[in-house]
Amino acid sequence: MTAGRGDAAQPSKRTDARLNRGRLVSAAHEVFTEAGPGASLNEIARRAGVGPGTLYRHFPNRQALLTVVLDDRVKALCEYAEELRASDSADDALARWLGAFLAHARANHGMGSALMVNEPEAPESDCHQLILNAAASLLARAQDQGTVRADLTAGDLVQLVTGLALSTVREEDADAAQRLLALVLDAAHAPPRGSR
C-alpha cells in the first residue's frame, strides 16, 4: 500500500516539476524582454510563482535560462520562415521574415553576448547558423523568382539586418528600424530585366 502511494506521488512530482519549468521559462521570456539579459532571477521566480530554489533546481545559472529562452525564440523565428515558404510571393515572404528577424534582433539585443561571456560553449553559433539557414531558404526562392539580386547572400542580409537592429535598439522613433529595413529591401531587389 505504501509503495503504491509512493508510485502515485512520483508522476505528480514530475508533473509539478514540468509545470514549474514551463512557468519559469514563460516568466523568463517576459522579464528578459522587459529588462534585458541582466534581469533579476528573483523576479523571474516571483512571476513564475515559485521560490528561487526551484528556479536554480531547473536552471543552475543565468546562462542556462538564457539559453532556453534564446533557443525558443530562434526556433519560433525559423518556424515562421518555414510557414512563409508556402507563400505565393517569395519576395513578400522574404520581406516579412526579415521584418520579424529585425524585431527578434532588437528584442534579443545582448542575449547572445551575455551567453558568451561565461559560457564559451554556448549555442550562439548554432542559433546563428539556424537563422542563416532560414534566411538562405527564403532568399534562394526569391532569387529563383527573379525578384531579388542574384549576388546577394544570406550572410549579407543577416549582417545588414543585425546592423540595423544594433544601430536602432535605443532609438526613440520606433519606425526608424522599419524605414531603414525598407531601404535595405529596396536595394536588394533585382534590377528590371534588360537594365544594367
Side-chain angles (χ1 to χ4, degrees):
M1 281 269 201
T2 307
R5 250 188 251 121
D7 290 346
Q10 284 303 103
S12 176
K13 283 183 180 177
R14 282 196 297 271
T15 300
D16 286 347
R18 206 165 36 246
L19 289 172
N20 284 341
R21 188 180 192 283
R23 285 194 287 264
L24 283 164
V25 172
S26 179
H29 274 281
E30 289 177 15
V31 176
F32 286 141
T33 296
E34 292 167 13
S40 164
L41 296 185
N42 286 338
E43 175 61 14
I44 291 170
R46 187 191 70 76
R47 287 207 204 174
V50 301
T54 300
L55 184 149
Y56 285 108
R57 270 195 301 279
H58 288 280
F59 304 101
N61 54 45
R62 177 180 303 277
Q63 283 71 28
L65 190 51
L66 280 168
T67 297
V68 170
V69 170
L70 190 59
D71 280 350
D72 282 355
R73 292 178 180 183
V74 169
K75 282 177 188 163
L77 186 66
C78 294
E79 284 167 10
Y80 184 48
E82 280 303 308
E83 289 170 27
L84 288 171
R85 281 179 55 80
S87 169
D88 288 338
S89 168
D91 192 41
D92 181 57
L94 180 62
R96 285 166 61 191
W97 186 81
L98 288 174
F101 174 47
L102 176 59
H104 163 89
R106 294 182 84 221
N108 297 299
H109 170 67
M111 285 187 79
S113 300
L115 277 172
M116 297 300 282
V117 169
N118 295 318
E119 296 285 338
E121 301 303 316
E124 174 65 6
S125 58
D126 293 341
C127 290
H128 182 70
Q129 189 59 54
L130 288 171
I131 289 169
L132 272 176
N133 293 347
S137 69
L138 292 170
L139 175 61
R141 196 165 160 256
Q143 287 171 327
D144 287 346
Q145 289 186 4
T147 59
V148 174
R149 298 169 55 130
D151 62 343
L152 196 60
T153 69
D156 294 337
L157 282 177
V158 168
Q159 195 169 358
L160 285 166
V161 175
T162 301
L164 290 182
L166 290 173
S167 66
T168 61
V169 74
R170 291 189 175 83
E171 181 67 55
E172 287 182 23
D173 179 3
D175 295 328
Q178 291 302 321
R179 282 197 310 271
L180 291 169
L181 179 60
L183 289 172
V184 168
L185 291 170
D186 189 53
H189 281 115
R193 293 185 192 279
S195 68
R196 293 193 158 205

